[in-house]
Amino acid sequence: MTNKFFPEEQISENDLYFLCYMVERVARKLHQKNKYVVNSIPKEEWERLFSLANVLHCDNPLKIEAEWIEEYKLTTGNFDITDVDLELVDKIPSETQMGKVYTRLILSTLQPEEDYIDGMIRVYNDEICNTIDNYNSSAYYEPSYVITRAYNNGGF
């Protein structure tokens, strides 16, 4: 995938990771599922965000959160990912950890005809995200190949 503004530059896996991390941050802040954030931003905007990711990662994440919420008119929901059974969960994974989980899943299932944007939209709209984002289960900390196999098989 090439950079929209600098065609000689390629979008990197780190750019994908940064945007997965930001999706997680914004979704948690708004009490929404990641899918809501991904689907609320038009594909053309994702192209712009991917092309700017190598610069945006230097910016304050709180500022980027606020900009996304305002620019894409994102609203607060009622999904609280941190609402877990404390007998089952002693530590909720961070936004960075979950950004890595989703980045690895997107990369490991990327189809030849897909770019990172198509892969991201496909993965975040899959039912497996409900399992991965249920921190009362162990899905999110399974090895990458287990998560990929579960995705390919339609669930855990």
Side-chain angles (χ1 to χ4, degrees), residues 110-129:
L110 201 62
Q111 302 299 308
E113 71 280 358
E114 285 184 321
D115 60 18
Y116 291 153
I117 298 167
D118 295 329
M120 184 176 71
I121 292 169
R122 176 182 42 78
V123 165
Y124 279 114
N125 280 284
D126 194 277
E127 283 298 313
I128 200 165
C129 294

Side-chain angles (χ1 to χ4, degrees), residues 11 16 23 58-59 62 83 89 91-93 98 126 132 147 154:
I11 302 297
L16 173 63
V23 165
C58 298
D59 213 342
L62 294 172
D83 184 19
V89 180
K91 186 173 184 221
I92 293 170
M98 292 309 297
D126 194 277
I132 293 170
I147 296 173

Side-chain angles (χ1 to χ4, degrees), residues 23-101:
V23 165
E24 188 75 31
R25 284 188 65 102
V26 172
R28 287 184 187 199
K29 181 176 184 80
L30 293 176
H31 296 282
Q32 292 279 9
K33 293 191 176 201
N34 293 330
K35 172 179 164 175
Y36 167 78
V37 176
V38 169
N39 292 335
S40 295
I41 299 175
K43 187 170 182 183
E44 307 79 51
E45 277 300 297
W46 280 118
E47 290 173 10
R48 185 180 75 82
L49 291 169
F50 268 94
S51 294
L52 295 172
N54 63 348
V55 176
L56 289 175
H57 82 272
C58 298
D59 213 342
N60 183 336
L62 294 172
K63 178 181 175 237
I64 297 170
E65 278 178 18
E67 288 173 354
W68 283 20
I69 291 167
E70 182 180 337
E71 189 171 340
Y72 306 118
K73 297 174 179 35
L74 303 175
T75 59
T76 303
N78 59 8
F79 176 71
D80 186 3
I81 201 159
T82 64
D83 184 19
V84 295
D85 183 343
L86 296 176
E87 291 185 21
L88 299 173
V89 180
D90 58 343
K91 186 173 184 221
I92 293 170
S94 69
E95 294 94 338
T96 55
Q97 289 170 313
M98 292 309 297
K100 289 176 185 175
V101 168

